[in-house]
Amino acid sequence: MPPSPALESIFMADAPATAPATYTLYEARKKIQPSSVRGTFRSIKWAILVVTLAIYYLLPFVRWTRGPHEPSQAVLVDLAHGRFYFFFIELWPQEVYYITGLLILAAFTLFLMNAIAGRIWCGYLCPQTVWTDLFLAVERLVEGDRRDRLKLDAAPWSATKLCKRVAKHSIWLLIAWWTGGAWVLYFADAPTLVRDLATLQAPMVAYASIGILTFTTYSLAGLMREQVCKFMCPWPRIQGAFTDEHSLAITYRFDRGEPRGSAKKNAALKAKGLPAGDCVDCLQCVTACPAGIDIRQGLQMECTQCGLCADACDGVMTKLGLPTGLIAYDTDANAARRLRGEPPVSRVIRVRTVLYGVLIAGVGLAMLTALALRTFTGLSALHDRNPIFVTLADGSIRNGYTLRVLNKRPVERVFTLSLDGLPGARLELATEPGESDRPAVTVGPDTTHELRALVFAPAGAKLDKSTTVTFRIVDVASGEAAQAEDYFKAP
Ligand code: SF4
Ligand code: SF4
């Protein structure tokens, strides 16, 4: 995100002259070899990496008891039976709107995060960031830190270089393979699928999915890295619309850092009372940046705001005995206030953050209410298309329907079926014959049951061409009911 024009003019007045930017339609990738850093933001990133990857890889093995007829996997997308299980929640295909609600909730949460603290999603939580961090850690482990890797890149091929490259790519492929493997475990009983995969008895689609995900993880996190954020992801281009001058962003404090110069030169200038900034131009912030940019040129689209340049700079400042925070999370508003000699302000509560908060609360509340009021019984009715009605030999009129009874509970249930809206009519189940005006229907646990229903209007009954009728089912044990409307057609 570029700095606002007003702020840019303030900052750039003190900033060193830079060459005018040139743009080309195609740019070959410049390999970036970021150096390792220690610090607050790096520690936060490690913690998030461990927690999110542990959840991703282990969640399919978490068990959740639902009853004898239900799967015991806590999180499961059961495509074969059209069910989604999430701990105590079980969603049917008709309830896909919960997923829509979740996506809307996620979008508003992302907007709120952006309005408060810029691209923290990109810098800390995005899967691309997390896996790239993991792949970088492996690279560092095998090939060493930035300087060693640069040397290795420049060195001619040798047995050592070959061994290191093979080791790195093998570990990357192993992680990518396990990432794909963990993904398919969300679609079947995990322990069973692991056994079937190992004994080559799993379905072909599982192997194909693992193969595709191995390839995408390896190429996106291992080979393409920052290219994904820079060229493939639309979010860097959109996210600026959700920020304003009070949104936090990793910022180089020009007012403190400039004019930059070597530590010795700046110390000498300061001793003479001449203007000198705290930036010693050591480039540690640039070499630490996984996007390969110089934050001192202002906020740029490539910056994921991971904070690693701030950690690198804090390390330099600490060594020099200067206060940390030359690069830090800051707002445009506070940067401008500092230049005017005013104290910083924190304005987390603003119109846009309140609006996003209200939208999140509204959607969340609506989803919770819908979940709390969710019924476990359902009925749908579908009138025969042809014939619409049949006039029988005794003069009575017959209409046919296909009914579907939904039992969302994990136990077998018995329902009575009845018809309203057509006085004197008789209801008969072709699939469950019996002499009753309220036939009983047994539906297995967590399943649907299709019925063929026939409705007879007696001869001589006064009928409109179309009369609204209501089918109703009632659970014999609990009294839970559901109904479906349709029409009775007559000549
Ligand atoms: S400039 Fe700093 S915050 Fe931005 S991507 Fe680079 S290291 Fe991360
Ligand atoms: S790490 Fe800090 S001192 Fe070094 S170049 Fe970057 S901003 Fe300047």
Side-chain angles (χ1 to χ4, degrees), residues 101-363:
L102 268 184
L103 291 176
I104 294 171
L105 207 56
F108 286 141
T109 307
L110 192 60
F111 299 165
L112 180 65
M113 282 159 73
N114 232 82
I116 293 174
R119 294 175 62 184
I120 46 172
W121 165 261
C122 303
Y124 300 87
L125 292 158
C126 173
Q128 173 64 21
T129 298
V130 171
W131 263 277
T132 300
D133 255 8
L134 179 65
F135 275 51
L136 266 171
V138 169
E139 188 169 71
R140 226 169 261 140
L141 191 76
V142 176
E143 296 182 349
D145 206 355
R146 174 183 153 84
R147 204 169 294 179
D148 301 317
R149 297 205 304 275
L150 287 174
K151 260 198 229 162
L152 193 71
D153 284 348
W157 280 101
S158 63
T160 314
K161 182 167 175 171
L162 187 68
C163 283
K164 285 188 174 178
R165 289 284 199 256
V166 169
K168 177 179 83 174
H169 288 281
S170 303
I171 300 174
W172 279 1
L173 278 167
L174 201 69
I175 295 171
W177 169 76
W178 188 241
T179 303
W183 178 255
V184 299
L185 298 183
Y186 284 91
F187 295 84
D189 181 63
T192 312
L193 186 56
V194 168
R195 196 192 54 224
D196 289 351
L197 285 167
T199 53
L200 302 180
Q201 286 174 6
M204 190 45 77
V205 67
Y207 294 106
S209 304
I210 293 174
I212 292 168
L213 283 160
T214 302
F215 170 73
T216 51
T217 309
Y218 171 75
S219 49
L220 294 179
L223 307 179
M224 297 167 77
R225 297 184 185 173
E226 79 291 341
Q227 304 279 95
V228 176
C229 313
K230 198 170 162 185
F231 298 114
M232 292 169 71
C233 178
W235 186 238
R237 288 150 187 86
I238 302 167
Q239 55 85 32
F242 303 99
T243 59
D244 56 23
E245 72 274 22
H246 294 290
S247 304
L248 287 166
I250 283 288
T251 309
Y252 168 65
R253 289 169 168 159
F254 281 93
D255 51 309
R256 184 184 146 191
E258 301 297 330
R260 69 185 78 157
S262 71
K264 218 168 166 183
K265 186 181 132 206
N266 275 10
L269 287 171
K270 281 179 190 171
K272 288 182 198 160
L274 293 170
D278 281 351
C279 174
V280 294
D281 213 8
C282 62
L283 298 182
Q284 296 290 305
C285 51
V286 181
T287 57
C289 176
I293 58 169
D294 185 348
I295 190 70
R296 297 174 302 166
Q297 292 178 5
L299 276 184
Q300 294 143 72
M301 192 201 70
E302 294 88 342
C303 175
T304 58
Q305 294 180 22
C306 62
L308 296 182
C309 53
D311 278 345
C313 188
D314 281 353
V316 175
M317 292 295 113
T318 307
K319 275 188 202 144
L320 294 172
L322 294 169
T324 56
L326 176 56
I327 298 175
Y329 273 98
D330 201 0
T331 65
D332 279 3
N334 278 339
R337 286 175 72 86
R338 269 201 317 279
L339 290 174
R340 295 195 299 268
E342 296 168 8
V345 291
S346 172
R347 286 200 48 207
V348 175
I349 297 172
R350 328 190 281 281
V351 173
R352 69 172 63 209
T353 55
V354 170
L355 179 69
Y356 296 145
V358 168
L359 287 170
I360 290 168
V363 176

Side-chain angles (χ1 to χ4, degrees), residues 379-381 403-404 419 469-473 482-486:
L379 179 66
S380 66
L403 304 181
R404 187 172 285 274
L419 178 81
V469 289
T470 305
F471 293 95
R472 193 184 310 277
I473 51 164
Q483 61 184 45
E485 278 192 0
D486 210 310

